C-alpha cells in the first residue's frame, strides 16, 4: 500500500471505485456493443461469417497478449501514464473501426482495440491495492465488480439501438466518444498511486526475472486458475446465448434480456455481499462459501438437464446463482494474487488477466462451439470448469495466509 494513499484521493471511496470500474468496462463494451450489428457489418463490408468472427478473435488475441505487459509497464512508469496511453490508443482504434471500409481494416483496428482495452482493468486492480488496506481493498474491489457487472447488460442494448436507428459505424463512434470521455476524466481525476520507492527498473532482464518468478510460483498460478477458470462456467452460457436461449429455451431475441438481467443481478448481488463480508469473515471462508454455492448449483443444473427438458421457467436461475457464487469469492482471490508479490502488483495483475483471457479465448473459439448444441453438455462443461477452480483452491489453500 502507498504510504501517502490518504493524501492522494480525498473524495468518497465509491467515487474512485466508479472511476476504476469505468476503466474495466471498456473491455466488455468493446465486445458486446457491436455484436447486434454482426450481420449488418458483414453485408456492408462484404465479409463472410468466418471473416466477421476474425474481428472478435483479433480483439481477444490482442487483449490477451497485451494483458501480459500493461501491469508490468505500470510497475516501472506508473499507473497513471499506462492508463492514459491505453485509453488514448483505444480511442484512436475505435475511430479506425468506425472509418474502416474493408474487413481487413476492421480486423486490424479491432486488434488494436483489444491491445489497448485491457490497460484499464489490469492497472485498476493494482491501483486499488496501492490505495487501500486489505479489508477496504476488498470492499472497493466488490464495488468495482458491481459497477462492472452493468456493462454486459447494457452494451448489447446500446449497440442494437445505434445500429437500428443509425448504422454500424455509429457503434464505433460511440466507443470513440466513451474513450475520449474516459481519457478526460482520468486525466483530471486519477492520481499516481505507485509510490516512487516501489518503482521497478524497466529493462529486459528485470522483466524476465519478474515473469519467471510469477510463472514458476505454484501459489500464484493456482490462485489465478481459481479466480479465472470458474468464470468460464457462466461465460460459456453467454457465448452460447443465441443457441441456448433461442434453440433450447425457445426464447425470442426480445426475451434474451431475461438471461442477461438475471446473470448480471447474480454478479452484482455476490459482489455486494462480498463487500459486506469484508473484515467480518475470514477470506478463506468467504472463498469456500463461493465455491460451495457454485458446486451445489452446478450439480443441480446438470441433474435437472439430465432429467428434464429445459425451459426458461427454471433453466436461467442456476446460471444466475452460479454468478452470485463466483462474484462472492473472486474479489478475495484477486487480492490474494496481488498480495503474493506486493512489489510487482501490476505484473501480477497482468499475468492473472492474461491467464483468464487465454481461457476465455479457448472457451470462445473451441469449447463453446463443441458443446452449445446440447444443454447437458453445457451443464457438464460448466461443472468441469468450476471444478478446475475448486481443485486449484483446495491445493493452494493451506499455502496462503
Amino acid at each position: 500500500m502507498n504510504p501517502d494513499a490518504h493524501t492522494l484521493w480525498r473524495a468518497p471511496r465509491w467515487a474512485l471505485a466508479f472511476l476504476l470500474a469505468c476503466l474495466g468496462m471498456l473491455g466488455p463494451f468493446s465486445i458486446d456493443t457491436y455484436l447486434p450489428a454482426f450481420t449488418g457489418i458483414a453485408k456492408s463490408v462484404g465479409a463472410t461469417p468466418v471473416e466477421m468472427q476474425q474481428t472478435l478473435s483479433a480483439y481477444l488475441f490482442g487483449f490477451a497478449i497485451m494483458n501480459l505487459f500493461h501491469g508490468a509497464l505500470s510497475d516501472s512508469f506508473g499507473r497513471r501514464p499506462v492508463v492514459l496511453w491505453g485509453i488514448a490508443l483505444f480511442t484512436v482504434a475505435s475511430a479506425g473501426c468506425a472509418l474502416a471500409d474493408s474487413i481487413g481494416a476492421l480486423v486490424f483496428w479491432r486488434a488494436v482495440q483489444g491491445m489497448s482495452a485491457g490497460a484499464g482493468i489490469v492497472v485498476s486492480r493494482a491501483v486499488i491495492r496501492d490505495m487501500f488496506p486489505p479489508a477496504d481493498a476488498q470492499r472497493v474491489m466488490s464495488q468495482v465488480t458491481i459497477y462492472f457487472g452493468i456493462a454486459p447488460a447494457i452494451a448489447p442494448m446500446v449497440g442494437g439501438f445505434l445500429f437500428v436507428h443509425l448504422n454500424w459505424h455509429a457503434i464505433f463512434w460511440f466507443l470513440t466518444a466513451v474513450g475520449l470521455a474516459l481519457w478526460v476524466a482520468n486525466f483530471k481525476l486519477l492520481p499516481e498511486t505507485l509510490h516512487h520507492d516501489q518503482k521497478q527498473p524497466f529493462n529486459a532482464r528485470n522483466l524476465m526475472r519478474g515473469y519467471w518468478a510469477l510463472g514458476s510460483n505454484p501459489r500464484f498460478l493456482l490462485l489465478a486458475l481459481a479466480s479465472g477458470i470458474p468464470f468460464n462456467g457462466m461465460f460459456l452460457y453467454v457465448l452460447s446465448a443465441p443457441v441456448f436461449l433461442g434453440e433450447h429455451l425457445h426464447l425470442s431475441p426480445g426475451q434474451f434480456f431475461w438471461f442477461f438481467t438475471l446473470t448480471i443481478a447474480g454478479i452484482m448481488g455476490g459482489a455486494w455481499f462480498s463487500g459486506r463480508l469484508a473484515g467480518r469473515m475470514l477470506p478463506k471462508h468467504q472463498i469456500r462459501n463461493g465455491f460451495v454455492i457454485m458446486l451445489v448449483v452446478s450439480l443441480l443444473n446438470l441433474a435437472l438437464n439430465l432429467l428434464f427438458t429445459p425451459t426458461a421457467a427454471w433453466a436461467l436461475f442456476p446460471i444466475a446463482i452460479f454468478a452470485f457464487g463466483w462474484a462472492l469469492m473472486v474479489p478475495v482471490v484477486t487480492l490474494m494474487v496481488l498480495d503474493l508479490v506486493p512489489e510487482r502488483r501490476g505484473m501480477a495483475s497482468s499475468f492473472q488477466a492474461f491467464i483468464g483471457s487465454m481461457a476465455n479465448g479457448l472457451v470462445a473459439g473451441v469449447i463453446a462451439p463443441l458443446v452449445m448444441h446440447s444443454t447437458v453438455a453445457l451443464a457438464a462443461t460448466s461443472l468441469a470448469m468450476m471444478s478446475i477452480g475448486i481443485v486449484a483452491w483446495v491445493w493452494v489453500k493451506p499455502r496462503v495466509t
Side-chain angles (χ1 to χ4, degrees):
M1 179 179 170
N2 190 322
D4 302 322
H6 63 285
T7 66
L8 298 177
W9 184 268
R10 298 185 182 278
R13 187 170 57 199
W14 65 264
L16 178 59
F18 181 76
L19 180 66
L20 297 176
C22 288
L23 290 175
M25 288 166 64
L26 275 184
F29 249 94
S30 303
I31 295 174
D32 298 341
T33 310
Y34 92 123
L35 291 181
F38 238 51
T39 303
I41 296 174
K43 291 180 180 178
S44 176
V45 300
T48 66
V50 173
E51 289 174 327
M52 278 303 300
Q53 190 66 28
Q54 291 175 2
T55 65
L56 182 58
S57 299
Y59 176 92
L60 292 173
F61 182 74
F63 188 89
I65 293 300
M66 278 307 297
N67 271 347
L68 270 177
F69 302 102
H70 293 309
L73 291 171
S74 77
D75 284 339
S76 298
F77 299 107
R79 317 297 189 206
R80 179 180 161 89
V82 174
V83 167
L84 292 177
W85 277 104
I87 299 174
L89 186 58
F90 173 86
T91 304
V92 171
S94 298
C97 291
L99 296 171
D101 57 1
S102 68
I103 188 62
L106 186 58
V107 168
F108 171 79
W109 286 114
R110 284 289 291 169
V112 178
Q113 260 194 332
M115 293 169 66
S116 55
I121 191 168
V122 168
V123 178
S124 65
R125 294 171 181 170
V127 169
I128 290 172
R129 197 57 186 90
D130 288 342
M131 292 291 291
F132 301 103
D136 288 338
Q138 182 182 331
R139 295 186 185 98
V140 175
M141 193 78 73
S142 300
Q143 290 175 338
V144 168
T145 305
I146 291 173
Y147 297 137
F148 174 80
I150 299 172
I154 64 174
M157 293 187 287
V158 172
F161 178 86
L162 292 173
F163 176 63
V164 170
H165 294 281
L166 296 172
N167 51 51
W168 70 265
H169 303 276
I171 295 172
F172 291 106
W173 285 124
F174 168 75
L175 292 175
T176 303
V178 169
L180 183 61
L182 271 180
W183 190 92
V184 172
N186 281 273
F187 180 78
K188 291 185 174 182
L189 300 175
L190 184 67
E192 178 52 66
T193 63
L194 180 66
H195 195 266
H196 59 83
D197 289 341
Q198 297 173 325
K199 287 189 175 182
Q200 296 289 321
F202 184 74
N203 57 66
R205 177 177 295 180
N206 186 57
L207 286 176
M208 290 304 102
R209 187 185 300 116
Y211 285 124
W212 175 257
L214 290 176
S216 60
N217 186 336
R219 290 184 298 168
F220 172 84
L221 293 176
L222 289 167
L223 283 173
L225 290 175
S227 64
I229 305 302
F231 170 79
N232 286 285
M234 62 178 173
F235 190 50
L236 174 68
Y237 282 95
V238 175
L239 294 168
S240 307
V243 174
F244 174 64
L245 300 176
E247 296 182 14
H248 297 312
L249 302 188
H250 308 293
L251 296 177
S252 68
Q255 296 172 310
F256 282 17
F257 78 94
W258 285 112
F259 167 71
F260 292 102
T261 299
L262 288 171
T263 303
I264 297 307
I267 293 175
M268 296 177 70
W272 177 84
F273 201 48
S274 178
R276 296 287 294 178
L277 292 176
R280 301 180 181 182
M281 177 180 287
L282 289 176
K284 289 183 178 181
H285 293 172
Q286 189 168 327
I287 295 170
R288 177 200 62 197
N289 292 344
F291 273 119
V292 167
I293 290 171
M294 288 189 288
L295 176 61
V296 170
V297 77
S298 295
L299 291 170
L300 178 63
N301 187 39
L302 179 59
L304 289 172
N305 279 280
L306 284 169
L307 295 172
F308 305 104
T309 300
T311 66
W314 61 263
L316 301 180
F317 292 98
I319 306 165
I321 298 170
F322 185 103
F324 178 92
W326 175 81
L328 179 66
M329 67 89 179
V330 77
V332 189
V333 181
T334 299
L335 289 174
M336 284 184 172
V337 170
L338 299 180
D339 286 343
L340 277 179
V341 280
E343 72 282 1
R344 293 184 184 272
R345 287 198 178 102
M347 182 178 285
S349 182
S350 274
F351 219 143
Q352 181 191 27
F354 172 77
I355 292 171
S357 298
M358 292 301 290
N360 295 346
L362 179 64
V363 172
V366 179
I367 297 177
L370 291 176
V371 302
M372 65 173 57
H373 298 290
S374 165
T375 58
V376 173
L378 281 169
T381 305
S382 176
L383 173 61
M385 291 177 178
M386 187 277 309
S387 298
I388 293 173
I390 285 184
V391 171
W393 171 246
V394 169
W395 193 93
V396 79
K397 177 183 175 182
R399 297 163 176 83
V400 295
T401 57

